[in-house]
Amino acid sequence: MRERSASALAYVLFAEAMALPESQRGDFLDARCGGDTRLRTDVHELLAIAARDEVATGALCGPAHAGADEESWVGRVIGRFRLVERIGAGGMGVVYRAERIDGVQQSVAVKLVATSMASVAQSRFEREAQLLARLEHPSIARLIDAGVQDTRAWIAIEFVRGKRIDEYCRDLQLQPRDIVRLLIRLADAVAAAHRLLVVHSDIKPANVLVGAEGVPKLVDFGISTALREADGHSSTVNVARMFSPNYAAPEQINGTPLSVATDVFGLGALAYRLLTGVPPYADAQDPIAYLLAISQRDVELGSQAARTAGRDASLVRALRGDLDAILAKALERDPQRRYSTATEMQADLTRYLDARPVHARTPTWAYRVKKFVSRNQVAVGLTALLLIAITGGATSAALQARKASIAQAMAARRGEFLESVLKSADPRSGKRDLSLAELLDSAAGALDDKLSEEPLVEASMLGLVADTDVGLGRYPQALAASDRQLMLLETHDGGALDIGRALTSRGRVLREQGIWLEDEKVMRRAVALLRPLNAKPELARALFELAAVLAHTDQEREAESDYREELALEAAGPPELRAHRSYTYYALGGLLTNLGRYREALQYELESIELAKRTMPADHQDLLTFQAQYASTLISSNQPAPAEAVLRDVIEKDTRVSGADHKDVLLTQSLLADDLVELQRYDEAAELALKAASALDALLGGDNSYSLTAWQTFAIATCSEGDFSRGLEVAQRISAARVRLYPANHRFVHAAAAAVGLCLYRAHRYAEAEPILLSAAAGLEATRGEHYRFTQLAYRLLRDLYEATGRPDTARSYSARLLPDAAHSR
Amino acid sequence: MDDKSDAAAVLDGLLERWARGERGALDALLTQFYRDVHQIAVSQLRRERHSTLRPTALVHEVYLRLTSLPRIKVQDRMHFLAMTARITRQALVDEARKRRSQKRDGGDPVTLTDANLGEFGRVYDAVDLDDLLGELQQVDRLAADIVTLRVFGGLSVDEAAAALGVSSATVNRHWATGKAWLTWELQKP
């Protein structure tokens, strides 16, 4: 035992020492090990092993590019090929045309990349190549062989004689229908690759060649990935990738893992370019402009872009409608909203050719195509950082000083700084590829060095870094950046508005992490700072955050007044702020429902729906959420009949938009099952609850609150229906899970106990049911009040139980506590 | 409907949902998958004379199996690799422990070799490695996770970074310390 903990201690000291420069390690160990020579020896041994590894890794990843470009390998033999001529060079290496040396007539393109691969990387490289070799499709340039030779990793690919697809389309003046035929073949090729788990992630005109027979071929499929393996630092997201303007998908910029949807975007961008003659976001020609564009707005409709570019009116007409819709769906910024596979996109393109209705034009899409409403859930990550920095969204500190020139200077300084950070990450400048996270780390480090003379600029940059970290889910880093930001703002008189904003952002991070105590303090301060200022949007946002904390920490009354204040601010504000009221009404409605003030709650919830209907399409996810909550409040307040119609409508719309087994749909079904229990349609309720519960289990894993609720409804419906043993078993399982997962006095624990009590009562096991129901009733009453639905259920069961066991007086006392409409239902 | 086609249908449905981006389906999917991985491990062990496995080769086989499933539309290779690595570790070690308990003298241990860890060609006892990873997890959870992904899944540094949502620099740091510590522990007499 002592042995083990000594080993753990050695590890901790070793890890700390590794973070120090070598020169300081001796002193560090002197200080930390004291006289424990054994410990010191252990750490020394660990450091020695690590140093040995470092040498080995250094050799693996060392600079291997040098000279690769200058040196001509023409005439040399690689594998079974002789290099004939150099046909190109890119970031990844040099490409040669090569011929077989064994007399077989076959031309290949051989790509060489310098490497000093150790056997590890080599085997990965070969595995990658093996996978690619299985990729056979008439529209994919086939990988023929691969290997490592003389410090070079090489890949031989089918040699395609042809033209770049954009030039081909232009030279032959192809019509949209011909272009769509080419695209269908390419989509088919991409789908074939996806079935082998290979994502191209760099589909653009330069990577598609059309041969003499008019067959388009994708080159470089997955090859860059394989070669990066060979290069010793494989990476899916790197800065070089991020800066491939006009064809990169937002997720390639945000640093989220790439997927099939990334290639759908690439196909969409390629299609856009070929059909309209201009690439998506054509006005954004440099990388930074592209990042800004894609984070700010959806792509322009294809037909509009074609018109702006001065294309023929007949082309513009041909694009309008179906093709516009297909391009828009493929180029959705949110990957989840794109065609989910290349096959789906292919199918829609085929439907277009056959003049059948395309799926991209379902009602959901119609409004997007028409209006292109901005959606704010997409732009997070680096985009936010760039966006705000360059457009000067956070210049308030200077504006407050009423010196527009300073504001301009600050915006300019931020722009310069960002560019320098981004440039320093450019692999072509000699550094190795950086992921977005590393980029952020380096940005945070560089801030101090470069901007220490300009604390307010540094502070606003730190705010951006923090927001970006939040977007990437890097909460500790976000908090660290926000700490420093606040410190700078406060020591350099940053102004109440900026401090208030910074605090509000911090509050959001804390809320995401559920750190309520500090969140409350932070938000109270933010509100106190912002209230005296005439800054309505900022104060409204701060109040929303504060109210959210209060609602979570059982301070509902205060939360209510904050929401009301927010509503007043919003009502007097500009249109965007007024539109936000639908969310505030919704939040307030939820709060009042929890307080048992159903009538008011219903009023606000209706208000939120009415407002939302004015600004959102009928099947907008948020609107559906508002409606589902309204129905839930109807159920809570014993109005199950109107709730059913609302729920069925929500389910129908949501299924169309999100698919039958989307979480939201399942949750609404679970709610509907609940409603059916209230309507005493137990058969239907049990069936629906079972379906929803099983699907939620599969979707979210067991033990999550959503499936537990659905199972509980199933148990109640089943017991009410008469199948006591099955229902009781489920109810007991749910009750045990609630006890395990929630604090002892949580209403979920009591509600689950009430369900167990119900099953026992129905099974005429009165003696067992009584104590459980009594305790559940007391708990529910204490946590949620007498009017709460489950409190009422417990009262009703107790009344029935005492009537059944011949104790009419006690029964009457519970009868008296029942609400009028609840008294009769059973 | 017989059991087999039933299970296939479940798997199929889960795959489809996962491919559509429902991450929650993955857990359920991989539970189904565990048996499969275990089966492959056992049959490989039977084939190999010395009961020494290369976990990455195992993962590779799993990979190929998955792609041969009819309706696979796998979206997220990285995530899949990461999960497979964890499952592989579990399946291998479960098998190794079973073998250990069946033979009281501890004969026929399952051993691993991986170029990612320590010297090339060295062979490690699967149970020992698992125990040590458990200990490492107590002091440096991230390091243990990274070692699992790299050794049992063959993930590169950057892939592990993407799978764990941390920077490559972080992975490098914890990989260096975690690996050194394991090497040190495994070297101990």
Side-chain angles (χ1 to χ4, degrees), chain A residues 4 7 11 14 42 45-46 53 120 124 127-128 130 134 197 234-236 259-260 341 438 661 698-699, chain B residues 17 20 22 24-25 60 63-64 73-75 77-78 116 135 140 143 154 156 158-159 177 179 181 184-185:
Chain A
R4 300 315 324 155
S7 170
Y11 180 85
F14 158 60
D42 285 353
E45 282 178 20
L46 283 164
D53 280 350
V120 194
R124 281 193 55 82
R127 192 173 97 194
E128 207 56 68
Q130 247 175 36
R134 297 173 58 213
L197 307 177
S234 78
S235 164
T236 39
S259 69
V260 171
T341 61
E438 285 172 288
D661 45 11
L699 189 62
Chain B
R17 284 225 308 285
R20 241 183 281 138
E22 293 172 22
H60 190 52
Y63 220 89
L64 297 180
K73 285 180 267 175
V74 175
Q75 291 211 332
R77 252 171 105 202
M78 208 82 67
N116 256 344
E135 273 173 46
D140 187 346
S156 71
D158 289 341
E159 284 170 339
T177 52
K179 179 185 164 191
W181 183 80
W184 180 60
E185 283 288 349

Short mmCIF file of all heavy atoms in Angstrom, two decimals, chain A residues 4 7 11 14 42 45-46 53 120 124 127-128 130 134 197 234-236 259-260 341 438 661 698-699, chain B residues 17 20 22 24-25 60 63-64 73-75 77-78 116 135 140 143 154 156 158-159 177 179 181 184-185:
data_model
loop_
_atom_site.label_atom_id
_atom_site.label_comp_id
_atom_site.label_asym_id
_atom_site.label_seq_id
_atom_site.Cartn_x
_atom_site.Cartn_y
_atom_site.Cartn_z
N ARG A 4 2.47 1.77 -3.20
CA ARG A 4 1.66 2.35 -4.26
C ARG A 4 1.55 3.86 -4.13
O ARG A 4 1.64 4.58 -5.10
CB ARG A 4 0.24 1.75 -4.27
CG ARG A 4 0.11 0.27 -4.48
CD ARG A 4 0.92 -0.34 -5.58
NE ARG A 4 1.10 0.48 -6.78
CZ ARG A 4 2.11 0.34 -7.61
NH1 ARG A 4 3.07 -0.56 -7.39
NH2 ARG A 4 2.22 1.07 -8.66
N SER A 7 4.55 5.58 -5.22
CA SER A 7 4.64 5.62 -6.67
C SER A 7 3.78 6.75 -7.24
O SER A 7 4.18 7.44 -8.17
CB SER A 7 4.19 4.28 -7.21
OG SER A 7 4.04 4.34 -8.59
N TYR A 11 4.89 10.16 -9.29
CA TYR A 11 4.29 10.59 -10.55
C TYR A 11 3.95 12.08 -10.51
O TYR A 11 4.24 12.84 -11.44
CB TYR A 11 3.03 9.79 -10.87
CG TYR A 11 2.40 10.23 -12.17
CD1 TYR A 11 2.84 9.71 -13.38
CD2 TYR A 11 1.40 11.20 -12.20
CE1 TYR A 11 2.31 10.13 -14.58
CE2 TYR A 11 0.87 11.64 -13.40
CZ TYR A 11 1.32 11.10 -14.59
OH TYR A 11 0.79 11.54 -15.78
N PHE A 14 7.02 14.19 -10.61
CA PHE A 14 7.61 14.04 -11.93
C PHE A 14 6.86 14.90 -12.95
O PHE A 14 7.47 15.64 -13.73
CB PHE A 14 7.58 12.55 -12.30
CG PHE A 14 7.64 12.24 -13.77
CD1 PHE A 14 8.73 12.65 -14.54
CD2 PHE A 14 6.62 11.52 -14.37
CE1 PHE A 14 8.79 12.35 -15.89
CE2 PHE A 14 6.68 11.22 -15.72
CZ PHE A 14 7.75 11.65 -16.48
N ASP A 42 13.42 8.02 -7.49
CA ASP A 42 12.30 7.62 -8.34
C ASP A 42 12.02 8.68 -9.40
O ASP A 42 11.89 8.39 -10.59
CB ASP A 42 11.03 7.41 -7.50
CG ASP A 42 11.10 6.11 -6.71
OD1 ASP A 42 12.06 5.34 -6.94
OD2 ASP A 42 10.19 5.89 -5.89
N GLU A 45 14.61 8.77 -12.04
CA GLU A 45 14.47 7.69 -13.01
C GLU A 45 13.39 8.02 -14.03
O GLU A 45 13.56 7.82 -15.23
CB GLU A 45 14.11 6.38 -12.29
CG GLU A 45 15.31 5.73 -11.62
CD GLU A 45 14.91 4.46 -10.86
OE1 GLU A 45 13.83 3.89 -11.15
OE2 GLU A 45 15.69 4.06 -9.98
N LEU A 46 12.27 8.55 -13.52
CA LEU A 46 11.17 8.91 -14.43
C LEU A 46 11.61 9.98 -15.41
O LEU A 46 11.33 9.91 -16.61
CB LEU A 46 9.96 9.40 -13.61
CG LEU A 46 9.15 8.30 -12.94
CD1 LEU A 46 8.23 8.88 -11.87
CD2 LEU A 46 8.31 7.58 -13.99
N ASP A 53 12.65 9.21 -24.18
CA ASP A 53 11.53 9.21 -25.11
C ASP A 53 11.54 10.45 -25.98
O ASP A 53 11.23 10.42 -27.16
CB ASP A 53 10.20 9.19 -24.34
CG ASP A 53 9.87 7.79 -23.89
OD1 ASP A 53 10.58 6.87 -24.33
OD2 ASP A 53 8.94 7.63 -23.09
N VAL A 120 6.16 2.75 -35.68
CA VAL A 120 4.78 3.01 -35.23
C VAL A 120 4.01 3.71 -36.32
O VAL A 120 2.96 3.27 -36.78
CB VAL A 120 4.76 4.00 -34.04
CG1 VAL A 120 3.41 3.97 -33.40
CG2 VAL A 120 5.91 3.80 -33.11
N ARG A 124 0.87 2.66 -39.03
CA ARG A 124 -0.37 3.42 -39.15
C ARG A 124 -0.55 3.88 -40.58
O ARG A 124 -1.63 3.84 -41.13
CB ARG A 124 -0.35 4.63 -38.22
CG ARG A 124 -0.66 4.27 -36.78
CD ARG A 124 -0.93 5.54 -36.01
NE ARG A 124 -2.00 6.31 -36.65
CZ ARG A 124 -3.28 6.07 -36.48
NH1 ARG A 124 -3.66 5.08 -35.69
NH2 ARG A 124 -4.18 6.79 -37.08
N ARG A 127 -1.64 1.08 -42.60
CA ARG A 127 -3.02 0.74 -42.32
C ARG A 127 -3.95 1.70 -43.06
O ARG A 127 -4.92 1.29 -43.68
CB ARG A 127 -3.26 0.89 -40.82
CG ARG A 127 -4.57 0.29 -40.37
CD ARG A 127 -4.65 0.34 -38.87
NE ARG A 127 -5.40 1.49 -38.43
CZ ARG A 127 -5.40 1.94 -37.18
NH1 ARG A 127 -4.71 1.33 -36.26
NH2 ARG A 127 -6.11 2.97 -36.85
N GLU A 128 -3.59 2.96 -43.00
CA GLU A 128 -4.36 3.99 -43.68
C GLU A 128 -4.39 3.69 -45.18
O GLU A 128 -5.42 3.75 -45.82
CB GLU A 128 -3.66 5.32 -43.37
CG GLU A 128 -4.46 6.59 -43.38
CD GLU A 128 -5.65 6.59 -42.46
OE1 GLU A 128 -5.50 6.57 -41.23
OE2 GLU A 128 -6.75 6.63 -43.01
N GLN A 130 -3.87 0.84 -46.66
CA GLN A 130 -4.64 -0.38 -46.91
C GLN A 130 -6.12 -0.07 -47.05
O GLN A 130 -6.82 -0.57 -47.91
CB GLN A 130 -4.50 -1.30 -45.71
CG GLN A 130 -3.75 -2.57 -45.97
CD GLN A 130 -3.59 -3.33 -44.68
OE1 GLN A 130 -4.50 -3.32 -43.82
NE2 GLN A 130 -2.46 -3.96 -44.50
N ARG A 134 -8.80 -0.09 -50.63
CA ARG A 134 -10.08 -0.80 -50.79
C ARG A 134 -11.13 0.10 -51.42
O ARG A 134 -12.23 -0.33 -51.73
CB ARG A 134 -10.57 -1.29 -49.43
CG ARG A 134 -9.63 -2.30 -48.80
CD ARG A 134 -10.08 -2.62 -47.39
NE ARG A 134 -11.43 -3.13 -47.38
CZ ARG A 134 -12.29 -2.93 -46.40
NH1 ARG A 134 -11.95 -2.19 -45.38
NH2 ARG A 134 -13.49 -3.44 -46.44
N LEU A 197 -15.49 4.50 -44.12
CA LEU A 197 -15.05 5.40 -43.05
C LEU A 197 -13.99 6.38 -43.49
O LEU A 197 -13.18 6.83 -42.68
CB LEU A 197 -14.51 4.61 -41.85
CG LEU A 197 -15.36 3.54 -41.25
CD1 LEU A 197 -14.60 2.85 -40.13
CD2 LEU A 197 -16.64 4.13 -40.71
N SER A 234 -0.23 13.55 -37.49
CA SER A 234 -1.52 13.53 -38.15
C SER A 234 -2.44 14.51 -37.46
O SER A 234 -2.29 14.81 -36.30
CB SER A 234 -2.13 12.15 -38.03
OG SER A 234 -2.68 11.98 -36.77
N SER A 235 -3.36 15.00 -38.19
CA SER A 235 -4.24 16.01 -37.61
C SER A 235 -5.46 16.16 -38.50
O SER A 235 -5.35 16.17 -39.70
CB SER A 235 -3.51 17.33 -37.54
OG SER A 235 -4.43 18.36 -37.34
N THR A 236 -6.62 16.20 -37.89
CA THR A 236 -7.79 16.43 -38.71
C THR A 236 -8.08 17.91 -38.81
O THR A 236 -8.59 18.38 -39.78
CB THR A 236 -9.03 15.78 -38.09
OG1 THR A 236 -8.95 15.96 -36.71
CG2 THR A 236 -9.15 14.36 -38.48
N SER A 259 -16.85 15.12 -40.19
CA SER A 259 -17.74 13.99 -40.36
C SER A 259 -18.19 13.93 -41.80
O SER A 259 -17.75 14.71 -42.64
CB SER A 259 -18.95 14.15 -39.45
OG SER A 259 -19.74 15.22 -39.94
N VAL A 260 -19.07 12.99 -42.04
CA VAL A 260 -19.66 12.85 -43.36
C VAL A 260 -20.26 14.18 -43.83
O VAL A 260 -20.16 14.55 -45.00
CB VAL A 260 -20.75 11.76 -43.30
CG1 VAL A 260 -21.53 11.74 -44.57
CG2 VAL A 260 -20.11 10.41 -43.04
N THR A 341 -26.26 12.50 -45.35
CA THR A 341 -25.27 11.70 -46.07
C THR A 341 -25.15 12.20 -47.50
O THR A 341 -26.04 12.89 -48.00
CB THR A 341 -25.70 10.22 -46.16
OG1 THR A 341 -26.94 10.16 -46.88
CG2 THR A 341 -25.88 9.60 -44.80
N GLU A 438 -4.77 24.70 -29.48
CA GLU A 438 -3.40 25.17 -29.29
C GLU A 438 -3.29 26.62 -29.68
O GLU A 438 -2.57 27.41 -29.07
CB GLU A 438 -2.44 24.33 -30.12
CG GLU A 438 -2.19 22.97 -29.53
CD GLU A 438 -1.39 22.12 -30.48
OE1 GLU A 438 -1.97 21.69 -31.50
OE2 GLU A 438 -0.22 21.89 -30.22
N ASP A 661 -37.15 9.71 -34.05
CA ASP A 661 -36.53 9.36 -32.78
C ASP A 661 -35.57 10.44 -32.30
O ASP A 661 -34.58 10.17 -31.64
CB ASP A 661 -35.86 7.99 -32.85
CG ASP A 661 -35.05 7.85 -34.12
OD1 ASP A 661 -34.86 8.88 -34.80
OD2 ASP A 661 -34.64 6.73 -34.44
N ALA A 698 -32.14 3.96 -25.07
CA ALA A 698 -31.16 3.63 -26.11
C ALA A 698 -30.40 4.87 -26.54
O ALA A 698 -29.22 4.83 -26.84
CB ALA A 698 -31.88 3.01 -27.31
N LEU A 699 -31.11 5.98 -26.54
CA LEU A 699 -30.51 7.22 -27.03
C LEU A 699 -29.56 7.83 -26.03
O LEU A 699 -28.47 8.29 -26.36
CB LEU A 699 -31.63 8.20 -27.35
CG LEU A 699 -31.29 9.48 -28.09
CD1 LEU A 699 -30.73 9.17 -29.45
CD2 LEU A 699 -32.52 10.36 -28.22
N ARG B 17 -28.97 5.39 -36.15
CA ARG B 17 -29.22 6.58 -35.33
C ARG B 17 -27.92 7.30 -35.03
O ARG B 17 -27.84 8.53 -35.03
CB ARG B 17 -29.91 6.19 -34.04
CG ARG B 17 -31.36 5.87 -34.25
CD ARG B 17 -32.21 6.51 -33.19
NE ARG B 17 -31.71 6.19 -31.87
CZ ARG B 17 -31.87 5.02 -31.30
NH1 ARG B 17 -32.54 4.08 -31.91
NH2 ARG B 17 -31.37 4.79 -30.13
N ARG B 20 -26.76 9.22 -37.86
CA ARG B 20 -27.51 10.45 -38.04
C ARG B 20 -27.07 11.51 -37.04
O ARG B 20 -27.61 12.60 -37.00
CB ARG B 20 -28.99 10.17 -37.87
CG ARG B 20 -29.76 10.49 -39.15
CD ARG B 20 -31.23 10.28 -38.96
NE ARG B 20 -31.59 8.89 -39.04
CZ ARG B 20 -32.45 8.30 -38.23
NH1 ARG B 20 -32.99 8.94 -37.24
NH2 ARG B 20 -32.73 7.04 -38.39
N GLU B 22 -26.82 11.06 -33.57
CA GLU B 22 -27.31 10.97 -32.20
C GLU B 22 -26.26 10.27 -31.37
O GLU B 22 -26.15 9.05 -31.35
CB GLU B 22 -28.63 10.20 -32.17
CG GLU B 22 -29.72 10.96 -32.88
CD GLU B 22 -30.99 10.14 -33.02
OE1 GLU B 22 -31.16 9.19 -32.24
OE2 GLU B 22 -31.78 10.46 -33.92
N GLY B 24 -25.88 9.74 -28.35
CA GLY B 24 -26.33 8.86 -27.27
C GLY B 24 -26.45 7.42 -27.71
O GLY B 24 -26.32 6.49 -26.92
N ALA B 25 -26.70 7.23 -29.01
CA ALA B 25 -26.87 5.87 -29.51
C ALA B 25 -25.56 5.09 -29.42
O ALA B 25 -25.54 3.87 -29.44
CB ALA B 25 -27.36 5.90 -30.96
N HIS B 60 -8.20 -2.87 -35.65
CA HIS B 60 -8.31 -2.85 -37.10
C HIS B 60 -9.34 -3.87 -37.58
O HIS B 60 -10.15 -3.60 -38.46
CB HIS B 60 -6.94 -3.15 -37.71
CG HIS B 60 -6.90 -2.92 -39.18
ND1 HIS B 60 -7.33 -1.74 -39.74
CD2 HIS B 60 -6.53 -3.70 -40.20
CE1 HIS B 60 -7.20 -1.81 -41.05
NE2 HIS B 60 -6.72 -3.00 -41.36
N TYR B 63 -12.83 -2.68 -36.86
CA TYR B 63 -13.05 -1.69 -37.88
C TYR B 63 -13.61 -2.29 -39.17
O TYR B 63 -14.61 -1.85 -39.71
CB TYR B 63 -11.65 -1.19 -38.20
CG TYR B 63 -11.49 0.24 -38.42
CD1 TYR B 63 -11.21 1.07 -37.35
CD2 TYR B 63 -11.54 0.76 -39.70
CE1 TYR B 63 -11.01 2.40 -37.56
CE2 TYR B 63 -11.33 2.09 -39.90
CZ TYR B 63 -11.06 2.91 -38.85
OH TYR B 63 -10.86 4.23 -39.06
N LEU B 64 -12.90 -3.31 -39.62
CA LEU B 64 -13.31 -3.92 -40.88
C LEU B 64 -14.67 -4.59 -40.73
O LEU B 64 -15.49 -4.55 -41.62
CB LEU B 64 -12.26 -4.94 -41.35
CG LEU B 64 -10.91 -4.30 -41.65
CD1 LEU B 64 -9.93 -5.36 -42.12
CD2 LEU B 64 -11.07 -3.23 -42.73
N LYS B 73 -23.11 4.06 -41.75
CA LYS B 73 -22.81 5.38 -42.29
C LYS B 73 -22.05 6.11 -41.20
O LYS B 73 -22.52 7.05 -40.61
CB LYS B 73 -24.10 6.13 -42.60
CG LYS B 73 -24.81 5.64 -43.85
CD LYS B 73 -26.07 6.44 -44.08
CE LYS B 73 -27.25 5.75 -43.44
NZ LYS B 73 -28.49 6.50 -43.52
N VAL B 74 -20.91 5.62 -40.88
CA VAL B 74 -20.22 6.15 -39.72
C VAL B 74 -19.75 7.57 -39.96
O VAL B 74 -19.12 7.88 -40.94
CB VAL B 74 -19.03 5.28 -39.35
CG1 VAL B 74 -18.26 5.91 -38.22
CG2 VAL B 74 -19.51 3.91 -38.96
N GLN B 75 -20.11 8.43 -39.03
CA GLN B 75 -19.82 9.84 -39.22
C GLN B 75 -18.53 10.23 -38.57
O GLN B 75 -17.84 11.12 -39.01
CB GLN B 75 -20.92 10.66 -38.57
CG GLN B 75 -22.22 10.54 -39.29
CD GLN B 75 -23.01 11.82 -39.16
OE1 GLN B 75 -22.86 12.52 -38.18
NE2 GLN B 75 -23.81 12.12 -40.13
N ARG B 77 -15.21 9.05 -37.18
CA ARG B 77 -14.20 8.01 -37.02
C ARG B 77 -13.45 8.12 -35.70
O ARG B 77 -13.16 7.15 -35.04
CB ARG B 77 -13.19 8.16 -38.15
CG ARG B 77 -13.29 7.09 -39.16
CD ARG B 77 -12.42 7.47 -40.30
NE ARG B 77 -11.21 6.67 -40.30
CZ ARG B 77 -10.09 7.05 -40.90
NH1 ARG B 77 -10.04 8.22 -41.47
NH2 ARG B 77 -9.05 6.29 -40.88
N MET B 78 -13.14 9.37 -35.39
CA MET B 78 -12.32 9.61 -34.21
C MET B 78 -13.00 9.11 -32.96
O MET B 78 -12.43 8.41 -32.14
CB MET B 78 -12.15 11.12 -34.09
CG MET B 78 -10.91 11.51 -33.44
SD MET B 78 -9.67 11.44 -34.68
CE MET B 78 -10.26 12.78 -35.70
N ASN B 116 3.83 1.60 -29.55
CA ASN B 116 3.57 2.88 -28.92
C ASN B 116 4.10 2.96 -27.50
O ASN B 116 4.29 4.02 -26.94
CB ASN B 116 2.06 3.15 -28.88
CG ASN B 116 1.66 4.15 -29.93
OD1 ASN B 116 2.51 4.84 -30.48
ND2 ASN B 116 0.38 4.21 -30.21
N GLU B 135 -4.26 2.66 -11.65
CA GLU B 135 -3.56 3.52 -10.69
C GLU B 135 -3.27 4.89 -11.27
O GLU B 135 -3.43 5.92 -10.61
CB GLU B 135 -2.24 2.88 -10.28
CG GLU B 135 -2.37 1.93 -9.13
CD GLU B 135 -1.06 1.22 -8.89
OE1 GLU B 135 -0.02 1.91 -8.90
OE2 GLU B 135 -1.08 -0.01 -8.74
N ASP B 140 -3.69 10.84 -12.52
CA ASP B 140 -3.76 11.66 -13.73
C ASP B 140 -4.71 10.97 -14.70
O ASP B 140 -4.30 10.19 -15.55
CB ASP B 140 -2.35 11.81 -14.33
CG ASP B 140 -2.34 12.80 -15.50
OD1 ASP B 140 -3.44 13.14 -15.98
OD2 ASP B 140 -1.25 13.23 -15.88
N ALA B 143 -4.02 11.30 -18.42
CA ALA B 143 -2.90 10.49 -18.91
C ALA B 143 -3.36 9.05 -19.14
O ALA B 143 -3.03 8.43 -20.16
CB ALA B 143 -1.74 10.54 -17.93
N GLY B 154 -4.57 2.68 -30.99
CA GLY B 154 -3.66 3.12 -32.04
C GLY B 154 -3.90 4.55 -32.48
O GLY B 154 -3.52 4.93 -33.58
N SER B 156 -3.36 8.48 -32.94
CA SER B 156 -2.22 9.37 -32.92
C SER B 156 -2.46 10.45 -31.86
O SER B 156 -3.56 10.56 -31.32
CB SER B 156 -2.04 10.03 -34.27
OG SER B 156 -3.07 10.96 -34.48
N ASP B 158 -2.76 13.64 -32.24
CA ASP B 158 -3.79 14.60 -32.63
C ASP B 158 -5.18 13.98 -32.61
O ASP B 158 -6.16 14.63 -32.27
CB ASP B 158 -3.49 15.17 -34.02
CG ASP B 158 -2.29 16.10 -33.98
OD1 ASP B 158 -1.95 16.55 -32.86
OD2 ASP B 158 -1.68 16.35 -35.02
N GLU B 159 -5.25 12.71 -32.96
CA GLU B 159 -6.55 12.05 -32.90
C GLU B 159 -7.03 11.94 -31.46
O GLU B 159 -8.20 12.18 -31.16
CB GLU B 159 -6.48 10.66 -33.52
CG GLU B 159 -6.44 10.68 -35.03
CD GLU B 159 -6.11 9.31 -35.63
OE1 GLU B 159 -5.53 8.46 -34.91
OE2 GLU B 159 -6.41 9.11 -36.80
N THR B 177 4.36 11.96 -19.71
CA THR B 177 4.51 11.59 -18.30
C THR B 177 3.89 10.22 -18.03
O THR B 177 4.48 9.38 -17.35
CB THR B 177 3.87 12.64 -17.37
OG1 THR B 177 2.53 12.87 -17.79
CG2 THR B 177 4.64 13.95 -17.43
N LYS B 179 3.36 7.71 -20.06
CA LYS B 179 4.11 6.64 -20.67
C LYS B 179 5.40 6.36 -19.89
O LYS B 179 5.76 5.21 -19.63
CB LYS B 179 4.42 7.03 -22.11
CG LYS B 179 5.22 6.02 -22.86
CD LYS B 179 5.56 6.57 -24.23
CE LYS B 179 6.68 5.75 -24.84
NZ LYS B 179 7.22 6.37 -26.04
N TRP B 181 5.96 6.92 -16.80
CA TRP B 181 5.64 6.27 -15.52
C TRP B 181 5.34 4.78 -15.71
O TRP B 181 5.80 3.92 -14.97
CB TRP B 181 4.45 6.99 -14.87
CG TRP B 181 4.09 6.46 -13.51
CD1 TRP B 181 4.70 6.73 -12.34
CD2 TRP B 181 3.00 5.57 -13.21
NE1 TRP B 181 4.08 6.08 -11.31
CE2 TRP B 181 3.03 5.36 -11.82
CE3 TRP B 181 2.02 4.95 -13.98
CZ2 TRP B 181 2.11 4.54 -11.17
CZ3 TRP B 181 1.10 4.14 -13.33
CH2 TRP B 181 1.15 3.94 -11.95
N TRP B 184 8.43 2.87 -16.41
CA TRP B 184 9.16 2.74 -15.15
C TRP B 184 8.58 1.63 -14.29
O TRP B 184 9.27 0.75 -13.80
CB TRP B 184 9.09 4.10 -14.43
CG TRP B 184 9.79 4.19 -13.12
CD1 TRP B 184 11.11 4.01 -12.89
CD2 TRP B 184 9.19 4.52 -11.87
NE1 TRP B 184 11.39 4.21 -11.56
CE2 TRP B 184 10.22 4.53 -10.91
CE3 TRP B 184 7.89 4.82 -11.46
CZ2 TRP B 184 9.99 4.81 -9.56
CZ3 TRP B 184 7.66 5.12 -10.13
CH2 TRP B 184 8.72 5.10 -9.19
N GLU B 185 7.25 1.65 -14.16
CA GLU B 185 6.59 0.63 -13.34
C GLU B 185 6.79 -0.76 -13.94
O GLU B 185 7.03 -1.72 -13.23
CB GLU B 185 5.09 0.93 -13.23
CG GLU B 185 4.73 2.05 -12.26
CD GLU B 185 4.92 1.64 -10.82
OE1 GLU B 185 5.12 0.44 -10.57
OE2 GLU B 185 4.86 2.53 -9.94
#
